[in-house]
């Protein structure tokens, strides 16, 4: 029972990060119908930039903002200088996919040059030292911070998307660019904002992932990307609440397979189960609620 | 208010309308009738800035709109109710109306106009929390009109508002259009249902194969042979007239 409760805590902290990362990927897909493979690299850059900020002595919540801003900026640049020119030139959607992969490799290369290939750690935060024992369950203050930050980010995201004029504009572009133009939305600006939000979520997820495992490396974006895409598909492509649920589910699956089976099989079991779920429900666990394109 | 001068427009390099001249005076209700593929929708999309004119000029209140972006045209007071309604299925009725007011900033005024739309269409008020996709065709048409009105347009462009609707719903929609016009909004109405369109408009244009084939005040237009035969269903079938028009 204690092991079980412990895994729930661990699973929720990692799952909340997956959820934050996956809603960014889902947003891009929902609005532009493309998959941005550079999101994983944005996550990694977020972690690296956040690490620099932490070394500079900034408190954790501020480094989170720095990481989010860094990721968001990259998102905007990728749209402005890569995705948009490709669309304008009439490139097929697959061209965007391949270009985003190239961008990811480029960013990994740049990060290797600047930050080195060595795995690095965050300066010890006071939060990792605070540990509560409740029954037999160890809860780090850091884990609570991560879950709280992830939940705040998701609520903020939901608020912007559902309750603001900007959010309605983004959802309208997702439905149809022509309809967005008809009501006076500047589609290009709305798209840039979309890329900023998705990039910022990736950057923030990168920082949270870095502090949770206390590991930052130029290659951390690769496995995160695979997980983000998995969660996105699991949740039903383009379905944001589905991505949130899928993120938590994957996090829990992973820690439970480590606790009860073997860490060697962590990914195999996690992804194996996802494969099974998709075999049973090919449209994703939470399909049916997604914002459909017209 | 709206002037189209020698407008040629279309898709890619193929013109769908050629050298069109249309004039819509302030406060008027003008209709544009014609068969499928005559270029009616292209005309409206060109005015809205969704399709670029190859040549010619589009002026609204004397200001050249020809190369203006779609969002600036909306901000300039021109709203389109598109063909097929295009309400945002995954958003609530209320959010669809709010996105209609996207170009406006004044919150209290927007709330007022929202009430006005709900008064005009009580059905929309009843269903304001429902997804727009769950509405009937007639309700979606009302929502599409309401969405356009939320931008407070000076000029309202309507593309086939009767399409796919039951006769009593069509009657209701046309009464609403007439009312909107009486309240001071200038209207350019595109319709295949020529009889209905001619009954509420003061002036009409007949579009055939991308060119204006006839125009005039509606009472006059209704009595011309081409219009009677081709569009009011009293003569030969549309196909044979088109053949005649070709020859």
């Amino acid at each position: 029972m204690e092991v079980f409760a412990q895994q729930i805590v661990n699973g929720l902290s990692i799952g909340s990060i997956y959820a934050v990362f996956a809603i960014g990927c889902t947003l891009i897909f929902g609005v532009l119908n493309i998959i941005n493979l550079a999101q994983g690299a944005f996550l990694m850059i977020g972690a690296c930039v956040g690490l620099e900020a932490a070394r500079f002595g900034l408190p954790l919540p501020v480094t989170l903002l720095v990481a989010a801003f860094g990721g968001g900026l990259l998102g905007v640049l990728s749209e402005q200088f890569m995705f948009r020119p490709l669309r304008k030139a009439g490139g097929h959607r697959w061209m965007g996919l391949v270009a985003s992969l190239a961008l990811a490799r480029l960013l990994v290369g740049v990060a290797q040059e600047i930050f080195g290939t060595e795995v690095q750690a965050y300066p010890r935060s006071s939060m990792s030292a605070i540990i509560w024992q409740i029954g037999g369950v160890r809860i780090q203050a850091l884990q609570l911070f991560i879950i709280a930050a992830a939940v705040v980010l998701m609520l903020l995201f939901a608020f912007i998307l559902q309750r603001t004029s900007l959010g309605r504009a983004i959802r309208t572009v997702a439905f149809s660019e022509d309809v967005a133009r008809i009501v006076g939305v500047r589609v290009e600006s709305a798209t840039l904002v979309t890329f900023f939000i998705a990039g910022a979520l990736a950057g923030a997820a990168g920082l949270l992932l870095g502090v949770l495992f206390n590991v930052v490396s130029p290659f951390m974006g690769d496995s995160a990307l695979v997980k983000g895409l998995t969660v996105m598909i699991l949740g039903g492509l383009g379905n944001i609440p589905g991505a949130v649920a899928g993120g938590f589910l994957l996090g829990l699956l992973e820690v439970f397979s480590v606790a009860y089976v073997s860490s060697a099989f962590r990914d195999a079991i996690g992804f194996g189960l996802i494969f099974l779920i998709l075999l049973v429900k090919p449209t994703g666990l939470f399909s049916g609620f997604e914002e459909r394109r017209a | 208010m709206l002037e189209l001068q020698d407008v040629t427009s279309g898709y890619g390099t193929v013109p769908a309308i050629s050298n069109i001249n249309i004039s819509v005076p302030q406060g008027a209700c003008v209709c544009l009738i014609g068969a499928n593929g005559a270029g009616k929708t292209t005309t409206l999309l060109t005015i809205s800035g969704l399709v670029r004119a190859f040549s010619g000029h589009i002026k609204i209140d004397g200001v050249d709109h020809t190369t203006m972006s779609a969002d600036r045209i909306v901000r300039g007071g021109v709203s389109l109710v598109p063909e097929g309604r295009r309400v945002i299925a995954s958003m609530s009725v209320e959010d669809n109306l709010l996105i209609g007011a996207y170009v406006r900033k004044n919150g209290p005024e927007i709330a007022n106009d929202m009430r006005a739309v709900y008064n005009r269409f009580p059905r929309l008020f009843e269903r304001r929390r429902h997804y727009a996709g769950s509405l009937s065709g007639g309700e979606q048409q009302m929502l599409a009109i309401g969405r356009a009105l939320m931008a407070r347009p000076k000029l309202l462009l309507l593309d086939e508002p009767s399409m796919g609707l039951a006769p009593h719903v069509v009657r209701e929609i046309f009464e609403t259009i007439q009312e909107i016009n009486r309240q001071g909004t200038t209207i350019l109405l595109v319709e295949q249902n020529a009889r209905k369109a001619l009954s509420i408009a003061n002036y009409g244009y007949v579009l055939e194969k991308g060119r204006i084939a006839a125009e005039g005040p509606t009472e006059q237009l209704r009595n011309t042979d081409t219009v009677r035969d081709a569009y009011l269903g009293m003569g030969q079938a549309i196909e044979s007239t088109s053949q005649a028009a070709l020859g």
Side-chain angles (χ1 to χ4, degrees), chain B:
Chain B
M1 146 168 280
L2 170 71
E3 296 283 340
L4 268 69
Q5 298 165 349
D6 290 320
V7 172
T8 296
S9 177
Y11 310 90
T13 54
V14 187
I17 50 173
S18 309
N19 299 310
I20 295 269
N21 286 285
I22 288 177
S23 170
V24 182
Q26 174 92 39
C29 177
V30 172
C31 72
L32 188 57
I33 58 176
N36 233 343
K40 306 188 298 294
T41 295
T42 308
T43 308
L44 289 194
L45 293 180
T46 307
I47 298 169
S48 309
L50 290 165
V51 172
R52 282 274 158 251
F54 299 163
S55 62
H57 289 280
I58 300 165
K59 287 184 179 159
I60 291 163
D61 287 337
V63 181
D64 200 306
H65 272 55
T66 321
T67 56
M68 226 181 240
S69 66
D71 72 274
R72 285 189 58 205
I73 291 173
V74 177
R75 278 164 229 269
V78 180
S79 283
L80 170 69
V81 179
E83 183 177 16
R85 308 179 263 276
R86 308 301 309 271
V87 297
I88 302 149
S90 53
M91 286 188 355
S92 69
V93 167
E94 190 136 315
D95 277 354
N96 266 273
L97 292 177
L98 283 172
I99 196 70
Y102 181 76
V103 294
R104 299 167 54 193
K105 296 291 162 245
N106 188 326
E109 269 185 24
I110 292 172
N112 259 334
D113 286 2
M114 183 101 97
R115 270 193 292 279
V117 168
Y118 284 147
N119 281 334
R120 199 189 287 281
F121 304 114
R123 277 298 281 160
L124 295 185
F125 181 71
E126 286 164 28
R127 313 206 62 181
R128 65 190 182 283
R129 309 241 175 271
H130 292 241
Y131 282 117
S134 72
L135 301 182
S136 71
E139 290 162 351
Q140 289 192 8
Q141 189 61 61
M142 291 170 196
L143 182 55
I145 294 174
R147 178 175 70 190
L149 289 178
M150 288 300 290
R152 279 222 182 153
K154 298 181 285 188
L155 171 65
L156 186 62
L157 311 170
L158 292 134
D159 197 350
E160 305 270 9
S162 77
M163 193 199 258
L165 301 181
H168 71 279
V169 183
V170 172
R171 206 173 309 130
E172 199 180 329
I173 297 284
F174 272 79
E175 274 164 18
T176 306
I177 295 171
Q178 237 175 337
E179 201 179 291
I180 293 167
N181 180 231
R182 272 201 295 268
Q183 288 163 355
T185 309
T186 309
I187 285 177
L188 176 57
L189 168 69
V190 153
E191 260 298 340
Q192 278 201 63
N193 187 337
R195 186 188 305 274
K196 269 284 174 200
L198 290 172
S199 75
I200 67 162
N202 357 86
Y203 198 89
Y205 290 86
V206 180
L207 206 52
E208 268 175 15
K209 302 198 180 304
R211 290 171 194 280
I212 304 281
E215 65 172 286
T218 41
E219 313 83 58
Q220 208 175 309
L221 206 57
R222 219 176 310 176
N223 295 318
T224 57
D225 292 343
T226 23
V227 172
R228 219 180 14 228
D229 293 345
Y231 303 105
L232 298 178
M234 294 169 194
Q236 311 109 293
I238 288 169
E239 282 80 0
S240 56
T241 333
S242 308
Q243 289 297 322
L246 257 181

Side-chain angles (χ1 to χ4, degrees), chain A residues 180-194:
Chain A
R181 290 203 170 87
I182 283 172
V183 297
V185 173
R186 293 186 187 94
V187 173
E188 284 71 23
S189 322
T191 308
L192 277 182
V193 174
T194 303

Side-chain angles (χ1 to χ4, degrees), chain A residues 27 30-31 155-176 180 183 185-187 189-191 193-194 197 240 291, chain B residues 88 90-92 94-96 98-100 102 105:
Chain A
L27 179 70
V31 174
L155 288 177
L156 184 66
F157 175 79
F159 176 79
I160 291 174
L161 212 58
Q162 294 295 327
R163 294 269 180 271
T164 67
S165 177
L166 171 69
R168 276 190 291 273
I170 291 173
R171 280 150 66 206
T172 305
V173 175
F175 176 76
S176 152
V183 297
V185 173
R186 293 186 187 94
V187 173
S189 322
T191 308
V193 174
T194 303
I197 294 174
I240 285 165
E291 310 226 334
Chain B
I88 302 149
S90 53
M91 286 188 355
S92 69
E94 190 136 315
D95 277 354
N96 266 273
L98 283 172
I99 196 70
Y102 181 76
K105 296 291 162 245

